[in-house]
Amino acid sequence: MSFIVAANWKLNKGPKEAESFFQEFLSGNEALRSEFETLFFVPAVDLVTANAFLEDTPVGWGPQNIYFEDQGAFTGENSPAVMKDIGATHALVGHSERRHIFKEADGDTFLKMKAAIRNDLIPVLCVGETIEERKVGHTFDVLKRQLSGALKEDVTTSLFHVAYEPVWAIGTGEVASPGQVAEAHDFIYSWMAEHCPQAKGSKILYGGSVKPDNAGELSAVDHVGGFLVGGASLKVESFIDILKACR
Ligand code: PGA
């Protein structure tokens, strides 16, 4: 299976900007694009546009967050069933901004993983430690807590991916070193081998200030099966340059 390069647009771009991005993205570099599995996690308002451009392509797409119920009195939430209905293929779960700004707990990430799988969406679970947690040597404890909180019961036998995103490297320009990435990915890989041995095909993505100039080196680290890219995914050129660097 090919290396995944996933874009996380966060709260950026409306439908018009999404449209021009996808037009430009799909208009060239076909051979390069076909070597990778590319995904786009777009704001809710761009989901219909994403489907219009991507539905007949191998490019996957989905929301940055889903609710764990399919419908009902949940004002302001995104239904995973509706996401599936409009063509989404994937869903991001437990991004650090959801955990830290919106106070999502490990229990929420488990329910969201289940909701994604129930609706035939492939979830990408984000995990990662804060700088304070790293400084006191708690990185692996945090990863273990976040993994065991979300990956249990029938989730462990389904297809999902995990994105290791150290909170201190997200949007800061401070990228984790290849050694730090190797250590964390190795830990996640071993944890998954022990607790989710039936989850074949799952990849471990790295996220946190991935740019064209560090992507090549990081993509070569053991157990790095893809990237989750924020800032550098907002321009077609830098997103394409990341693919080129990973070749
Ligand atoms: P960044 O964001 O690439 O801008 O650091 C990554 C993410 O939050 O997924």
Side-chain angles (χ1 to χ4, degrees), residues 93 106-118 121-125 146-162 191-192 195-200 202:
V93 172
D106 294 318
D108 298 321
T109 60
F110 170 58
L111 294 174
K112 290 179 180 198
M113 293 296 284
K114 275 173 74 114
I117 287 162
R118 180 175 73 237
L121 296 165
I122 300 168
V124 179
L125 172 74
Q146 293 174 337
L147 292 167
S148 54
L151 303 178
K152 50 190 182 184
E153 298 175 17
D154 53 339
V155 173
T156 61
T157 56
S158 309
L159 176 60
F160 62 86
H161 303 298
V162 172
W191 190 93
M192 282 166 56
H195 296 92
C196 317
Q198 288 161 286
K200 298 274 181 294
S202 291

Side-chain angles (χ1 to χ4, degrees), residues 10 22 50 62 86 112 120 132 151 192 202 214 226 246:
K10 310 194 179 188
F22 289 131
I86 62 171
K112 290 179 180 198
D120 202 19
E132 293 77 19
L151 303 178
M192 282 166 56
S202 291
N214 57 33
C246 296

Side-chain angles (χ1 to χ4, degrees), residues 32-242:
L32 174 69
R33 283 188 282 110
S34 70
E35 290 173 35
F36 296 90
E37 182 177 345
T38 50
L39 307 176
F40 288 87
F41 294 106
V42 302
V45 72
D46 297 333
L47 289 163
V48 170
T49 306
N51 186 51
F53 281 88
L54 305 177
E55 80 171 319
D56 295 323
T57 74
V59 181
W61 60 276
Q64 300 165 1
N65 178 37
I66 50 168
Y67 195 52
F68 43 81
E69 297 287 353
D70 293 347
Q71 61 178 47
F74 305 108
T75 304
E77 289 294 338
N78 291 324
S79 158
V82 171
M83 296 299 154
K84 183 64 195 177
D85 195 48
I86 62 171
T89 53
H90 291 69
L92 213 52
V93 172
H95 187 275
S96 82
E97 285 145 23
R98 300 298 317 169
R99 292 177 189 265
H100 295 285
I101 304 173
F102 301 104
K103 309 295 174 218
E104 273 185 22
D106 294 318
D108 298 321
T109 60
F110 170 58
L111 294 174
K112 290 179 180 198
M113 293 296 284
K114 275 173 74 114
I117 287 162
R118 180 175 73 237
N119 285 290
D120 202 19
L121 296 165
I122 300 168
V124 179
L125 172 74
C126 303
V127 297
E129 79 289 358
T130 63
I131 192 65
E132 293 77 19
E133 289 163 340
R134 173 166 281 269
K135 276 185 180 155
V136 294
H138 288 173
T139 298
F140 295 151
D141 295 337
V142 171
L143 296 181
K144 193 166 146 189
R145 195 200 74 226
Q146 293 174 337
L147 292 167
S148 54
L151 303 178
K152 50 190 182 184
E153 298 175 17
D154 53 339
V155 173
T156 61
T157 56
S158 309
L159 176 60
F160 62 86
H161 303 298
V162 172
Y164 169 60
E165 296 206 303
V167 180
W168 47 273
I170 296 178
T172 57
E174 192 182 339
V175 67
S177 69
Q180 288 169 322
V181 174
E183 210 177 48
H185 279 239
D186 196 49
F187 179 85
I188 296 168
Y189 181 84
S190 306
W191 190 93
M192 282 166 56
E194 187 181 341
H195 296 92
C196 317
Q198 288 161 286
K200 298 274 181 294
S202 291
K203 296 235 165 99
I204 309 168
L205 283 54
Y206 168 76
S209 298
V210 174
K211 305 275 182 267
D213 62 0
N214 57 33
E217 186 178 27
L218 292 171
S219 68
V221 172
D222 263 4
H223 304 309
V224 172
F227 289 139
L228 182 56
V229 187
S233 74
L234 293 172
K235 294 233 158 57
V236 175
E237 194 185 349
S238 50
F239 192 71
I240 289 284
D241 283 347
I242 288 175

Side-chain angles (χ1 to χ4, degrees), residues 21-30 33:
F21 182 104
F22 289 131
Q23 254 161 4
E24 188 184 340
F25 178 67
L26 295 172
S27 69
N29 297 294
E30 206 171 327
R33 283 188 282 110

